[in-house]
Amino acid sequence: MPDNRRSRIVTEGLARTPNRAMLRAVGFGDSDFGKPIVGIASGYSTITPCNSGLDALARRAEEAMREGGAMPQRFGTITISDGISMGTEGMKCSLVSREVIADAIETVCFGQSMDGVLALGGCDKNMPGAMIALARLDIPSIFVYGGTIKPGCWKGEDLTIVSAFEAVGQYAAGKLAEEDLLGVERNACPGPGSCGGMYTANTMSSAFEALGMSLPYSSTMAAADAEKADSAAASARVLLEALRADLRPSRIITRQSIENAVAVIMAVGGSTNAVLHFLAIAHAARVEWTIDDFERMRGKVPVLCDLKPSGRYVATDLHRAGGIPQVMKLLLDAGLLHGDCMTITGRTIAETLAGVPSTPSPEQQVIRPLSAPLYAQGHLAILKGNLAEEGCVAKITGLKKPAITGPARVFDSEEAAMAAILDDRIRPGDVIVIRYEGPKGGPGMREMLSPTAALIGQGLGESVGLITDGRFSGGTWGMVVGHVAPEAALGGTIALVIEGDKITIDADRRLIEVAVPADELARRRAAWSPPPPRYTRGVLAKYARLVGSASRGAVTDAS
């Protein structure tokens, strides 16, 4: 195994006696000082079902590493439950946690001179937070996903956490009995694992498998199944092989492998958050990648998988249908993947997929063949116009009409918009504007699942538009546009919209604009002044000072 700084300094004799003394206290013996020290960065917590199973996986990985001749060192990272914090002020900490996770893993591994690291995550920001750290550190690394939750059930209907949010809107509209509201709430989450549809967690785990930083088939396993723990142990063994070969993320995370990951995101109908996160991962890996590259990939890659939130199936169904390798094989055969990209196993993508069938099983309906895609082009459209000069992201799957023009209904916070929706003050044809929820203005760029799910529940998902400088949950669908940049807090045009302005969202033309003459917008801009910061101390204040534009990944370390 390679001699890196830790391996050398602990064997250099008396000068390092204090280091050895400290390591003896955590279980090192005389024969252990020449072994590689490998970090196990675990996001285990009982805060959320997404992460509640991670400790068992970390212990399986630790056992496999010891058997393989390494000295594993477990340490913890944080998590924020998006589902629990959704619709509250606490949701502002969700995107912030991505940076805290990345910084924590980087700090421990760099500070303790780790030879390699295995990162385990479950909830949405665990994945990009960990991958940002792995890219920065560039030591042999692997990501292990905690696994997806199994679907709940109420009165014969499969449920996910989004079912509970939509039930709120249905109940408010008088379309759902209280018995059923409670039934959905009590049965939506039956055990451990991340939200079950192709929401952000499953989107990012799938993308990391395509990127080559996780093992094949690992991204769609259920958290509660034995194969998930077996996969964690296998990941540990693969990481030790990568250590011997000195196979680092910089050989795996390239422009071509990011194209592979984004191709899979498009094919599975993944979350809008993937745009934000892969811009940040590319930045950490020093790979040239822009928001316009997503639109380039959208034009080439069809949607092949019929998955929630806009489709019928959940991640466990995708796993039974062949998982991400089956999706990747279809894309590879169509010339839509780079087969020569390296993976953490030491095999290329093409070698990894060699034994996967070229056509999906006819006995399943989750994965469509290339000849009959769900949609001919990808679903994450990058729109630009006078409302978003730097761009914004629209998720257009499941929509009968990917365009709307209507009067602006303007709200300066998520709470204000939610109150209007539940008070039945929104009408078909309206375009809701939720602003001052961007990376700086929020701060923290909250997800708008509560208002979008309430609209769906009230039957307004197809007839009402919604734009925001905040984000959306991976569980969101409908005529919604997020990540509007420049954001309102920086004086973006979204800050200048007034009630009743005509707004057009047109996914086919990739256009978002407000029908206000340029001279009138200039007059409004001259009269506009930024609101005072909502936080002046603590983590949110620091984040607001450091964070950059959503159009560049909302990173905090840009030069």
Side-chain angles (χ1 to χ4, degrees):
M1 293 189 182
D3 286 329
N4 91 346
R5 187 161 61 95
R6 168 49 64 101
S7 301
R8 291 195 303 274
I9 64 175
V10 296
T11 57
E12 285 177 352
L14 292 176
R16 306 311 298 174
T17 295
N19 302 74
R20 293 200 302 270
M22 294 286 286
L23 290 169
R24 287 184 192 279
V26 295
F28 276 64
D30 288 343
S31 63
D32 296 326
F33 290 109
K35 298 176 181 177
I37 297 178
V38 183
I40 299 177
S42 172
Y44 166 73
S45 76
T46 57
I47 288 172
T48 171
C50 309
N51 290 45
S52 63
L54 293 184
D55 193 49
L57 302 185
R59 293 182 186 278
R60 280 293 303 275
E62 180 180 22
E63 178 184 354
M65 285 186 191
R66 290 191 187 278
E67 291 173 353
M71 291 301 291
Q73 301 293 291
R74 282 193 292 135
F75 63 94
T77 70
I78 67 155
T79 197
I80 297 294
S81 171
D82 288 14
I84 295 172
S85 65
M86 196 74 69
T88 74
E89 192 82 353
M91 184 65 196
K92 293 180 178 181
C93 291
S94 171
L95 186 58
V96 174
S97 76
R98 184 189 77 178
E99 309 311 304
V100 176
I101 292 164
D103 292 350
I105 295 174
E106 179 187 9
T107 300
V108 173
C109 291
F110 183 76
Q112 298 301 123
S113 305
M114 299 289 186
D115 293 291
V117 59
L118 180 149
L120 297 114
C123 201
D124 294 6
K125 306 311 173 295
N126 298 176
M127 271 74 80
M131 196 57 63
I132 289 167
L134 305 189
R136 289 178 188 166
L137 287 161
D138 200 29
I139 58 177
S141 310
I142 194 167
F143 182 81
V144 176
Y145 181 42
T148 185
I149 198 170
K150 292 185 175 181
C153 185
W154 176 247
K155 293 186 175 180
E157 295 291 328
D158 280 351
L159 302 175
T160 70
I161 185 59
V162 175
S163 306
F165 284 94
E166 292 181 356
V168 171
Q170 293 171 319
Y171 180 75
K175 298 180 179 180
L176 192 71
E178 183 175 358
E179 173 199 1
D180 293 316
L181 176 66
L182 292 174
V184 170
E185 179 260 312
R186 289 168 177 164
N187 293 279
C189 297
S194 300
C195 301
M198 191 48 67
Y199 310 147
T200 302
N202 285 325
T203 297
M204 296 307 295
S205 69
S206 299
F208 287 179
E209 185 177 324
L211 188 68
M213 289 295 292
S214 294
L215 293 191
Y217 297 101
S218 65
S219 66
T220 52
M221 293 175 177
D225 287 351
E227 66 175 346
K228 185 72 259 186
D230 293 341
S231 178
S235 297
R237 291 190 286 269
V238 165
L239 177 57
L240 296 187
E241 290 299 322
L243 270 164
R244 295 185 180 98
D246 197 24
L247 178 55
R248 299 167 181 258
S250 55
R251 287 185 57 197
I252 300 171
I253 306 175
T254 65
R255 182 172 173 84
Q256 289 71 34
S257 71
I258 291 177
E259 285 194 350
N260 287 350
V262 173
V264 166
I265 290 165
M266 295 293 178
V268 300
S271 167
T272 54
N273 283 308
V275 175
L276 191 76
H277 296 327
F278 265 96
L279 286 167
I281 291 165
H283 170 76
R286 296 181 173 86
V287 171
E288 182 181 347
W289 189 265
T290 72
I291 194 170
D292 295 322
D293 286 312
F294 291 94
E295 183 59 36
R296 176 175 58 83
M297 294 299 296
R298 185 184 80 85
K300 297 195 299 183
V301 182
V303 179
L304 299 177
C305 298
D306 188 6
L307 295 165
K308 291 180 181 292
S310 59
R312 293 178 291 171
Y313 299 103
V314 295
T316 51
D317 298 318
L318 174 60
H319 190 62
R320 286 189 292 270
I324 295 303
Q326 181 64 81
V327 177
M328 292 179 69
K329 185 59 177 277
L330 298 180
L331 297 176
L332 180 68
D333 288 351
L336 296 171
L337 286 188
H338 300 281
D340 58 349
C341 284
M342 180 57 63
T343 75
I344 189 60
T345 66
R347 300 190 301 273
T348 65
I349 291 291
E351 291 169 339
T352 300
L353 300 176
V356 178
S358 292
T359 56
S361 168
E363 297 179 0
Q364 58 81 44
Q365 295 180 303
V366 184
I367 306 171
R368 301 283 192 92
L370 262 296
S371 59
L374 204 63
Y375 302 96
Q377 291 184 316
H379 63 299
L380 298 180
I382 305 302
L383 312 185
K384 292 187 176 181
N386 68 353
L387 261 176
E389 293 93 338
E390 294 178 13
C392 56
V393 186
K395 188 175 186 180
I396 59 176
T397 45
L399 295 176
K400 298 182 181 69
K401 297 180 180 179
I404 187 172
T405 296
R409 304 297 309 278
V410 182
F411 305 95
D412 287 350
S413 71
E414 177 187 0
E415 289 85 355
M418 186 66 176
I421 294 167
L422 294 181
D423 288 347
D424 198 29
R425 289 186 275 127
I426 302 300
R427 297 288 176 264
D430 287 347
V431 178
I432 297 171
V433 177
I434 305 177
R435 62 191 180 190
Y436 296 107
E437 292 285 5
K440 282 187 179 293
M445 208 178 179
R446 284 191 289 184
E447 293 179 351
M448 304 294 146
L449 179 58
S450 294
T452 58
L455 289 171
I456 297 295
Q458 291 186 349
L460 297 173
E462 292 278 1
S463 59
V464 170
L466 189 153
I467 71 170
T468 181
D469 51 9
R471 298 181 295 127
F472 294 114
S473 163
T476 290
W477 69 277
M479 180 54 71
V480 296
V481 180
H483 308 198
V484 170
E487 62 175 288
L490 294 177
T493 305
I494 190 172
L496 311 179
V497 177
I498 63 175
E499 191 85 3
D501 284 346
K502 291 293 183 184
I503 290 177
T504 293
I505 304 168
D506 191 328
D508 288 338
R509 296 163 61 199
R510 300 190 299 281
L511 177 69
I512 182 167
E513 67 178 10
V514 57
V516 176
D519 58 348
E520 171 60 14
L521 288 177
R523 186 192 66 77
R524 294 182 191 180
R525 181 166 282 110
W528 176 85
S529 58
R534 286 170 166 159
Y535 296 86
T536 57
R537 299 183 66 186
V539 65
L540 290 174
K542 288 190 290 185
Y543 181 84
R545 286 194 294 270
L546 292 171
V547 71
S549 173
S551 67
R552 291 181 287 278
V555 299
T556 55
D557 65 341
S559 55

